[in-house]
Amino acid sequence: MTTGLSPVSLTALTLLLATAATAQQPAASIAHPQLWPKVAAQPKRDPAVERRVEALLKSMSVEDKVGQIIQVDIGSITPADVRTTKIGSVLNGGNSGPYGDEYASPAKWLQLADEYYDASMARADKGPKIPIIWGTDSVHGNNNIVGATLFPHNIGLGAARDPDLIREIGRITALETAAAGLDWTFAPTLAVVQDDRWGRTYESYGEEPQIAADYAGAMIEGVQGRVGTKDFLAPDHLIATTKHFLGDGGTGGRDQGDTKVPEEVLRDVHLGGYPAAIEAGTQSVMASFSSWNGEKMSGNTSLLTGVLKDRMGFDGFVVGDWNSHGQVPGCSNEDCPQAINAGLDMFMYSGPGWKQLYDNTLREAKDGTIPAARLDDAVRRILRVKVRAGTFDRGRPSARAFAGKFDAIGSPGHRAVARRAVRESLVLLKNEGVLPLKPNADILVAGEAADSISQQAGGWSITWQGVDVPNSAFPNAQSIWKGIEEVVKAGGGTARYAPDGRFTQRPDAAILVFGEKPYAEFKGDVPNLEYSPGDKRDLEMLRRFKAAGVPVVAVFLSGRPLWVNAELNASDAFVAAFLPGSEGGGVADLLFAGPDGRPRHDFRGKLGFSWPKRPDQYALNRRDAGYDPLFPFGYGLSYARPGKVGKLDESRPAGMAAATPGTFYGRGQTPPGWSIEAEGVTQSGVDRRAQEDSRRFVWKGAGQVAFAAPRAVDLSRESNGEISLVVEYRVESRPAGRLTIGLQGGGKTVELPIANSIAAARAGEWTRLAVPLQCFAKRGADMRAVTAPLVLRSDGAADISISDVKLDYVSMPMDACGDAVPGGE
């Protein structure tokens, strides 16, 4: 059996690289592999596969090898580029779709997959033909594609406590993704979240590592097929990714943050499901954006190589997260040999500079900065997975056995499994005798969320953040309202939908569907667990129903437990629905009785996260000292097991911890402590959506307006992602001079010209200006110490009103900074 580098030389290489990498590394961030468990990694190496890999490796040039260790977002690279550089992998990031269309049909996905494949296999130089692989975030179904079955997010699945269901969800997700010609999913997420302020909490199965351990193997088997059977990596399965290694759930509620825990806690809590995933044969592991005790995971040799590869025997490949290598000390997105030397096998890159990354890595491979043995080890791992997955033997994506079977995407059978998953994932927190409802009654359904598939699906649903996606983009889905209407009509009752909850004829019962608007990483982080601070319209609606004597059922959509004591008090029944996905009918299945008056289905969901009794209980885990939840881990009522919830304390603690807000000005207000500082500019209140909810700024001559923070805020993670500063404004009269938009950080203001953009706006009409934070960062702004995220400066007369200033994801062209903003100077 030929395996290339021997175990002895691999160990020597590891020690050599580790010594170099840890010279400046904090001692607390260096793992000791002997303290970690050994794992019976699967599958065992096949001599035939290894011989094939070695033959390929020997035939490859260093240029070919470097191409294999780089993955580029499809928004940044074309098939023509692949022909010349032989990049080994592409991905579609959160908002990248085929040919620039986020709503592209499955056929378009398959068409582009063929084009990338053809480009990778075109070799005029007689070099080895190595097929490209396409990775995608199929995190709750093939959620990037219109029409796909969307399952509940992991937080709901964790409440179901059903590994067999998880395995079936993995199988269906793989089939619906393979039907579009894709090879590889960046799932499952095995984060063991310890602070629920984190915007990715809903991607976690629960706060206890055992839930992840129980689910990891089942999900990997569902996605990849079971090792040792003909199903393993068969054409209807995918390469799976276990992520994010390691400690992503312990960052104190901050995305891309630092998990500051002893090594024993990192191992005993955060390792969670990784051993089970490796034993089930996961073929890739994604390194986390986050740090452990000050050291970025993408540069931590002791964990990526010492623990994961050497100690636990993982022989697939380690892929980075979205430009995560650029955060390793001494690195940039376009240059990071440190990450490869630490054990990263494949860069994940997004941006126009991928050719720079290729050129720099090639230079470093040739001059020995990246040792030849380490490069060969990385490429060998990638080739091993490609051979195991059959990519060399199955031809173009469209020629594969299950590709093009678009009727499988959102099929009735798949939707039935998703509906079952909804039924199993809902947790009944309170029921004071109102449930189950009679289907022959007069039912009022309220709340905009009731008829919003986007809101019930949450983030990672067609688009990255999942915001404002129309119901038409979910053709094989049913909203919660439509599911309720269907059940009530079938039962002989009357169902009415009033988003604002108003009625003239008193209903027999009301169902209010409400909760968090969709979000994903960056945008989802919150300062505490208070639900909807400053906007209590949902609570007011619940109280109106109670005052009118209408029994009311609250269906709460959220990506985490939240402080909703007042909403619980104002409800007769309260259901934590989390983010149920595409099958709103699954909610109705649990709320209504059958013709015999008995429940059609019973609640079985159990909390995977402890529920807070105060909004400042964001780190609330049953292993913690002083554990004092409102509802403990494992709580969940049912029709068979009823329970009472008394009157809850609605008082809000004073002085709760604050965090960087995502909105710097809105509804006529800045966040607490923030201010609008004007020099040479007069300001007054104007109306847009409500009385004086906006500000009008008038320049007579030179002057500026700054939206200033009470203390420096860190926007470095947002600037690393695709987040923009968004200003909603109205031009009252054309500016007479030069107008700039700026960001102040570290005592320096970086300005970009926007007079042309403002001039292009229609006077008297509200419009929007979006500037990628990367534009400021690339021009030298200190994004770690921002004191004013918006500075508007004019050297002449100007008259502009502003209603909103916030951070948001905005799909922008890659060269958006060239003119500062689309249409800018």
Side-chain angles (χ1 to χ4, degrees):
M1 170 174 164
T2 303
T3 58
L5 206 60
S6 70
V8 174
S9 55
L10 267 176
T11 301
L13 173 64
T14 299
L15 290 173
L16 176 65
L17 295 177
T19 300
T22 60
Q24 304 297 321
Q25 186 174 337
S29 67
I30 301 174
H32 302 81
Q34 70 274 15
L35 301 179
W36 295 68
K38 288 187 174 181
V39 176
Q42 295 289 339
K44 301 301 182 185
R45 292 188 187 175
D46 181 339
V49 170
E50 298 304 310
R51 285 192 295 271
R52 189 171 183 182
V53 168
E54 292 305 318
L56 284 165
L57 197 62
K58 289 177 181 177
S59 68
M60 296 171 70
S61 66
V62 67
E63 288 82 3
D64 290 334
K65 293 175 182 179
V66 169
Q68 288 299 304
I69 68 171
I70 296 176
Q71 178 186 62
V72 184
D73 182 73
I74 63 171
S76 304
I77 192 170
T78 67
D81 293 324
V82 173
R83 286 180 179 271
T84 57
T85 56
K86 301 307 172 189
I87 293 297
S89 175
V90 292
L91 79 149
N92 57 285
N95 282 76
S96 297
Y99 312 106
D101 182 5
E102 293 175 352
Y103 298 94
S105 68
K108 289 295 184 183
W109 288 81
L110 184 56
Q111 178 183 329
L112 187 56
D114 273 350
E115 291 175 15
Y116 280 120
Y117 175 88
D118 291 345
S120 70
M121 300 297 280
R123 294 298 301 241
D125 61 357
K126 298 184 180 179
K129 296 181 178 181
I130 301 175
I132 201 169
I133 52 175
W134 184 332
T136 189
D137 284 284
S138 291
V139 297
H140 66 132
N142 187 9
N143 44 259
N144 294 287
I145 291 186
V146 171
T149 307
L150 299 186
F151 297 95
H153 270 294
N154 285 356
I155 189 171
L157 298 180
R161 307 288 209 280
D162 188 344
D164 291 335
L165 173 64
I166 295 300
R167 185 177 291 104
E168 184 67 1
I169 288 172
R171 184 192 68 80
I172 291 170
T173 299
L175 178 56
E176 293 200 13
T177 306
L182 309 189
D183 309 276
W184 172 20
T185 175
F186 303 133
T189 297
L190 297 183
V192 183
V193 175
Q194 302 295 284
D195 189 318
D196 302 342
R197 292 175 296 179
W198 191 33
R200 303 188 78 158
T201 297
Y202 64 80
E203 297 184 52
S204 171
Y205 294 120
E207 70 189 41
E208 282 290 322
Q210 191 58 50
I211 302 180
D214 291 342
Y215 274 6
M219 181 58 83
I220 296 296
E221 286 183 354
V223 172
Q224 293 189 163
R226 182 168 294 179
V227 172
T229 72
K230 62 180 177 61
D231 284 337
F232 182 62
L233 293 174
D236 56 340
H237 290 281
L238 304 174
I239 299 164
T241 303
T242 308
K243 67 181 188 183
H244 306 85
F245 191 85
L246 187 65
D248 51 344
T251 59
R254 182 172 174 79
D255 197 62
Q256 303 179 21
D258 191 1
T259 298
K260 299 176 181 178
V261 297
E263 184 172 1
E264 292 76 12
V265 174
L266 188 70
R267 178 195 64 199
D268 297 342
V269 174
H270 296 284
L271 187 62
Y274 282 91
I278 293 169
E279 289 178 354
T282 185
Q283 290 298 283
S284 84
V285 168
M286 185 179 293
S288 180
F289 254 121
S290 58
S291 302
W292 173 47
N293 291 336
E295 182 73 9
K296 283 291 180 180
M297 280 303 312
S298 290
N300 196 314
T301 311
S302 67
L303 283 165
L304 294 183
T305 299
V307 170
L308 178 62
K309 294 179 177 179
D310 292 348
R311 181 68 174 178
M312 296 199 291
F314 172 68
D315 73 354
F317 64 87
V318 177
V319 64
D321 204 344
W322 187 266
N323 294 336
S324 63
H325 57 274
Q327 296 186 5
V328 174
C331 289
S332 68
N333 291 351
E334 290 72 39
D335 190 9
C336 192
Q338 295 94 319
I340 298 298
N341 288 342
L344 198 73
D345 299 309
M346 183 185 288
F347 293 117
M348 180 188 288
Y349 184 89
S350 172
W354 66 267
K355 290 182 181 178
Q356 293 172 258
L357 176 63
Y358 176 88
D359 290 341
N360 288 330
T361 306
L362 179 60
R363 184 191 70 253
E364 290 150 354
K366 287 182 175 180
D367 69 18
T369 303
I370 298 173
R374 171 75 273 264
L375 177 63
D376 282 356
D377 179 49
V379 176
R380 182 181 291 111
R381 289 170 174 276
I382 294 165
L383 294 177
R384 179 181 293 128
V385 172
K386 288 186 176 184
V387 172
R388 284 173 173 169
T391 54
F392 285 89
D393 306 316
R394 294 173 185 155
R396 306 175 83 214
S398 61
R400 297 169 190 168
F402 289 88
K405 294 186 180 297
F406 301 139
D407 57 349
I409 297 176
S411 71
H414 292 175
R415 292 185 62 188
V417 174
R419 187 162 179 160
R420 170 191 158 200
V422 175
R423 291 196 297 268
E424 293 192 24
S425 67
L426 270 56
V427 179
L428 182 61
L429 299 183
K430 176 181 179 179
N431 183 21
E432 305 294 339
V434 67
L435 291 177
L437 298 169
K438 296 178 181 179
N440 61 352
D442 178 15
I443 303 296
L444 176 69
V445 178
E448 293 179 358
D451 198 30
S452 171
I453 298 171
S454 169
Q455 191 163 347
Q456 73 190 44
W460 297 105
S461 300
I462 306 299
T463 66
W464 174 36
Q465 296 288 331
V467 179
D468 296 329
V469 180
N471 283 359
S472 59
F474 304 95
N476 298 323
Q478 185 180 50
S479 71
I480 294 173
W481 149 242
K482 288 297 183 182
I484 293 170
E485 181 185 41
E486 183 179 75
V487 168
V488 172
K489 283 187 174 180
T494 301
R496 293 179 275 154
Y497 178 48
D500 62 0
R502 301 291 180 181
F503 58 87
T504 54
Q505 179 181 340
R506 182 178 175 278
D508 295 323
I511 301 170
L512 175 62
V513 184
F514 67 106
E516 291 187 295
K517 295 292 178 66
Y519 56 80
E521 53 201 307
F522 301 132
K523 285 210 65 178
D525 292 1
V526 292
N528 56 66
L529 298 186
E530 181 178 5
Y531 168 64
S532 193
D535 183 355
K536 297 302 180 185
R537 286 174 292 179
D538 300 320
L539 177 60
E540 292 165 2
M541 206 180 309
L542 289 168
R543 287 172 171 168
R544 285 203 313 269
F545 289 134
K546 291 284 281 186
V550 177
V552 59
V553 177
V555 176
F556 187 55
L557 303 174
S558 72
R560 56 193 142 212
L562 290 170
W563 184 60
V564 287
N565 285 16
E567 289 81 1
L568 278 157
N569 284 338
S571 306
D572 296 296
F574 197 102
V575 177
F578 299 109
L579 300 170
S582 60
E583 303 311 311
V587 176
D589 288 342
L590 292 176
L591 299 184
F592 289 90
D596 59 359
R598 297 175 178 271
R600 300 167 72 232
H601 298 274
D602 203 352
F603 289 88
R604 55 170 291 176
K606 303 294 182 185
L607 289 178
F609 287 89
S610 304
W611 202 280
K613 64 169 56 173
R614 301 190 314 273
D616 55 357
Q617 286 181 303
Y618 32 77
L620 181 66
N621 308 292
R622 69 173 181 174
R623 286 164 282 96
D624 297 344
Y627 180 63
D628 184 29
L630 178 61
F631 303 120
F633 175 89
Y635 175 91
L637 303 177
S638 69
Y639 294 126
R641 300 181 307 279
K644 285 279 187 179
V645 177
K647 181 76 172 178
L648 303 175
D649 183 4
E650 298 183 16
S651 59
R652 185 180 187 277
M656 280 193 304
T660 303
T663 297
F664 307 127
Y665 180 72
R667 306 181 74 177
Q669 296 179 330
T670 57
W674 288 61
S675 60
I676 301 175
E677 300 175 356
E679 299 175 14
V681 181
T682 60
Q683 55 178 307
S684 58
V686 294
D687 300 345
R688 182 184 181 188
R689 306 178 186 97
Q691 184 176 359
E692 294 199 1
D693 64 346
S694 307
R695 302 297 289 173
R696 183 174 181 175
F697 302 98
V698 179
W699 285 258
K700 297 293 186 182
Q704 72 171 37
V705 174
F707 289 73
R711 66 190 67 85
V713 296
D714 185 354
L715 297 181
S716 57
R717 59 187 174 139
E718 288 85 352
S719 64
N720 185 60
E722 297 185 350
I723 300 296
S724 293
L725 175 68
V726 178
V727 181
E728 295 189 28
Y729 70 99
R730 182 175 66 190
V731 175
E732 309 295 354
S733 64
R734 302 295 181 201
R738 184 175 184 268
L739 186 65
T740 63
I741 187 170
L743 178 143
Q744 185 180 85
K748 175 184 178 181
T749 300
V750 172
E751 296 179 307
L752 305 169
I754 58 170
N756 285 354
S757 296
I758 299 296
R762 290 177 180 243
E765 292 186 6
W766 289 100
T767 188
R768 184 174 70 163
L769 184 72
V771 184
L773 291 179
Q774 292 178 4
C775 295
F776 299 114
K778 289 177 179 178
R779 285 161 173 78
D782 185 353
M783 304 304 292
R784 295 167 299 178
V786 175
T787 51
L790 173 62
V791 179
L792 287 176
R793 189 193 306 273
S794 178
D795 62 7
D799 189 349
I800 298 172
S801 295
I802 293 177
S803 66
D804 299 85
V805 181
K806 60 186 177 182
L807 299 180
D808 205 349
Y809 175 86
V810 179
S811 182
M812 307 289 281
M814 293 311 302
D815 62 349
C817 292
D819 290 327
V821 291
E825 296 179 70

